[in-house]
Amino acid sequence: MLEHNQSDDCSKLLRSLVQRYASRIKLLPDKPEDSVEATVRALWLCALGAPTSSVKALNAPLAALTTTQIDDLKELLERRASGVPLAHLTRRQDFMGLEYKCSEAALIPRKETEILAKAACSLLIEKILPVNQRPRVLDLCTGCGNLACAVANYVPECAVFAADLSPDAARLAGENAKHLGCDDRVQIFAGDLFGPFSSEQFAKSFDLIMCNPPYISTGKLPQMAEETITHEPKMAFDAGPFGLSILDRLLRDAPQYATPGGWLAFEVGLGQGPGIIQRLSKDARFKPATGVLDDNKNVRAVTAQFSHNN
Ligand SMILES: C[S@@+](CC[C@H](N)C(=O)[O-])C[C@H]1O[C@@H](n2cnc3c(N)ncnc32)[C@H](O)[C@@H]1O
């Protein structure tokens, strides 16, 4: 009977908090998993001392809170309502079904980047593993290591190398590799794009190069959601006057690091895909590129095979 009453009390408190915060928590289109209910549940678990992402929290049982924990939950909800990203409060974010550690050091992984992660895993399983059973994968602009660790988790045959210009992000990526139990397959470096891989041992050595680069033009940064621009690193978004500063360098230099006939996979901003695919079609170092679409038929990732004489 007591248990029944407790679960009734939990449901009542949950419902009343969801109702109270429905108009106060701003939902962001690029974080569709952070609904108001998922937010209340994730912060509830946080108040219980069990940090959990919004995705996992949605289906996790909620234990009763003490009075102090209810106060903690209300304070966390106030911070969320004031614009602090949910993942900065929980310190957790789901990506491809895995729980990552999160902090201000790196971009919070977005659902939309799972399009690139899935494309990379498919390329590895369908095209690369049949010709090389121990593929080498490079993840540039790794942030918290979400793409690197997802690939290492779902395609464990890979040796994954990853790097980020931000030493803090690289450190967080290393923590995630450990946290997710794939640090034996993921090596993280700090440095500028291909910089950490300039030694001879990496020349023409990667079967897959993947990258989710910054791709917002500097002029458009002020139009981004205030929460994003205030709390997430500008370095993760700003890609110069045309939004292509990193992508230009990626396309210029990648062939020096890829195995002949290896693959490139990268994320693009809304509207950038068709132009980039056309540009690759004129570059003899690549075979024709493919756009990977989101549910609204926008190209959000591009894959291309390097020519055998790249
Ligand atoms: C869009 S975020 C992607 C983060 C993560 N891979 C993801 O998918 O969520 C871009 C990342 O590129 C990093 N970055 C920016 N300029 C860079 C550069 N010149 N070399 C390497 N990394 C860079 C940023 O620090 C940031 O972590």
Side-chain angles (χ1 to χ4, degrees):
M1 190 60 190
L2 180 68
E3 265 178 30
H4 176 71
N5 283 344
Q6 275 192 349
S7 106
D8 265 7
D9 289 349
C10 287
S11 306
K12 235 193 241 164
L13 178 59
L14 176 69
R15 271 201 310 275
S16 87
L17 289 173
V18 169
Q19 214 167 19
R20 190 179 322 160
Y21 282 91
S23 59
R24 296 195 51 213
I25 290 178
K26 197 162 189 276
L27 303 178
L28 296 180
D30 59 348
K31 292 179 184 158
E33 66 280 17
D34 293 353
S35 65
V36 178
E37 180 175 346
T39 297
V40 176
R41 285 176 170 273
L43 294 179
W44 185 305
L45 292 168
C46 213
L48 280 168
T52 306
S53 71
S54 55
V55 168
K56 210 166 152 214
L58 204 49
N59 295 310
L62 296 178
L65 298 167
T66 63
T67 317
T68 315
Q69 287 169 335
I70 292 178
D71 289 343
D72 291 347
L73 170 57
K74 287 181 179 162
E75 193 189 319
L76 286 164
L77 282 163
E78 282 303 311
R79 290 179 67 199
R80 175 68 198 107
S82 76
V84 180
L86 179 61
H88 287 178
L89 297 169
T90 60
R91 300 311 221 194
R92 292 291 182 278
Q93 176 68 16
D94 173 272
F95 183 75
M96 295 283 287
L98 303 170
E99 288 278 294
Y100 287 80
K101 290 191 177 191
C102 241
S103 80
E104 293 76 5
L107 184 81
I108 299 165
R110 300 303 205 267
K111 189 84 189 146
E112 63 201 17
T113 300
E114 292 188 353
I115 294 172
L116 171 59
K118 287 176 190 164
C121 290
S122 298
L123 281 176
L124 281 159
I125 292 164
E126 291 161 21
K127 308 278 188 193
I128 299 173
L129 279 179
V131 288
N132 180 359
Q133 283 81 53
R134 278 291 293 154
R136 247 190 187 187
V137 177
L138 179 59
D139 174 32
L140 294 176
C141 300
T142 194
C144 75
N146 48 316
L147 287 161
C149 295
V151 161
N153 183 74
Y154 291 109
V155 193
E157 295 90 338
C158 297
V160 183
F161 296 78
D164 200 283
L165 183 58
S166 154
D168 289 341
R171 211 167 295 122
L172 179 61
E175 276 179 38
N176 272 320
K178 217 176 237 158
H179 176 65
L180 293 165
C182 55
D183 52 330
D184 58 334
R185 310 190 288 289
V186 180
Q187 288 187 53
I188 314 277
F189 299 79
D192 184 17
L193 216 59
F194 288 100
F197 307 99
S198 55
S199 67
E200 194 50 37
Q201 58 163 318
F202 294 114
K204 302 262 178 211
S205 75
F206 294 104
D207 300 281
L208 171 66
I209 298 174
M210 58 184 180
C211 182
N212 176 15
Y215 50 67
I216 312 285
S217 57
T218 309
K220 283 197 177 154
L221 292 178
Q223 293 164 30
M224 292 180 71
E226 197 185 326
E227 171 180 327
T228 303
I229 210 67
T230 307
H231 293 277
E232 298 192 67
K234 184 164 168 262
M235 197 199 279
F237 306 106
D238 191 352
F242 306 105
L244 295 171
S245 62
I246 301 293
L247 193 74
D248 284 346
R249 292 174 57 205
L250 177 76
L251 298 184
R252 185 191 68 198
D253 297 340
Q256 296 169 46
Y257 297 88
T259 54
W263 290 83
L264 177 66
F266 56 93
E267 182 166 318
V268 291
L270 268 181
Q272 289 179 333
I276 290 167
I277 291 172
Q278 201 182 18
R279 172 173 158 187
L280 284 172
S281 72
K282 295 182 191 142
D283 188 331
R285 301 171 309 158
F286 297 94
K287 294 188 178 174
T290 304
V292 191
L293 307 180
D294 65 11
D295 292 345
N296 298 318
K297 308 233 178 316
N298 297 303
V299 175
R300 293 312 313 274
V302 172
T303 64
Q305 188 174 17
F306 294 95
S307 307
H308 281 85
N309 54 356
N310 57 316

